Amino acid sequence: MNASPADELLDVVDERDRVVGRLPRGEVYARGLRHRCVFVLVRDAGDRIFVHRRTATKAVFPSLYDMFVGGVVGAGEPYDAAALREAEEELGVTGLPRPEPVLSFLYDDGPGGRGSWWSRVYEVRCDLPVKPQAEEVAWHAFLPEAEVELRLGAWPWVPDGLAAWERLRAARGQGRG
């Protein structure tokens, strides 16, 4: 099957995350319609975090760094299934444990941005050797959390990933208050 990602059907949702329609991803993006996404924080056996730089060909936030793997939730797809699918696809692994849900929030990219999306944040441990998708990931490494924190002000990060990171830190009592 050689369908374009722009043709993938997504659920369009309201401010309460209720499905109000179903449209192709390309149209959802073009119109800035609210949809669903998953963010998976991946740690290795040494408790380091998988960090990567997105490829320049990504439709959303090209060439930016991210401390999450993930993506859009397909039409009719449960969040939990999307989290596992996206994590395995982006890491290039099979047999990953089911990611554990941590929190949900409505992300809004602000005026002139790409719209808003319901975001569910997960965590998973990956002890498998990773082979990230070349079309998704330009660079990757497992970094200690302290190094990720140091890089926050130095590297260009995806804004929705930063929002998820801040909420995750706040949920753990590590937020900036």
Side-chain angles (χ1 to χ4, degrees):
M1 180 173 184
N2 290 330
S4 162
D7 296 331
E8 176 186 9
L9 287 179
L10 303 182
D11 287 330
V12 176
V13 296
D14 67 11
E15 66 281 350
R16 292 193 177 133
D17 198 19
R18 295 178 300 206
V19 176
V20 296
R22 184 171 282 178
L23 291 168
R25 180 197 301 217
E27 187 172 346
V28 169
Y29 283 7
R31 294 172 53 191
L33 300 174
R34 189 176 295 119
H35 54 287
R36 294 173 170 162
C37 289
V38 291
F39 296 79
V40 184
L41 187 77
V42 180
R43 292 181 185 270
D44 69 2
D47 209 34
R48 298 173 303 173
I49 297 170
F50 180 83
V51 175
H52 67 283
R53 186 170 48 82
R54 298 164 63 88
T55 59
T57 57
K58 293 290 290 177
V60 178
F61 309 132
S63 300
L64 298 183
Y65 288 88
D66 202 347
M67 67 284 286
F68 295 95
V69 296
V72 297
V73 178
E77 183 179 30
Y79 278 104
D80 291 355
L84 180 60
R85 174 183 54 77
E86 286 284 352
E88 287 189 336
E89 284 176 6
E90 286 194 33
L91 295 170
V93 302
T94 55
L96 195 66
R98 182 164 294 281
E100 293 293 325
V102 180
L103 61 94
S104 298
F105 69 99
L106 178 59
Y107 176 78
D108 189 331
D109 206 25
R114 297 185 173 274
S116 69
W117 40 93
W118 272 101
S119 307
R120 189 156 301 166
V121 180
Y122 292 80
E123 292 189 79
V124 71
R125 182 155 318 271
C126 179
D127 297 328
L128 304 165
V130 299
K131 188 178 185 324
Q133 289 180 309
E135 63 271 19
E136 301 269 343
V137 176
W139 169 90
H140 73 280
F142 280 95
L143 301 177
E145 189 164 341
E147 186 172 343
V148 173
E149 286 288 333
L150 286 173
R151 304 285 181 198
L152 289 180
W155 291 353
W157 296 87
V158 297
D160 58 348
L162 281 176
W165 178 258
E166 289 298 322
R167 283 170 174 81
L168 185 59
R169 286 179 43 77
R172 291 182 179 154
Q174 299 170 315
R176 294 192 184 127

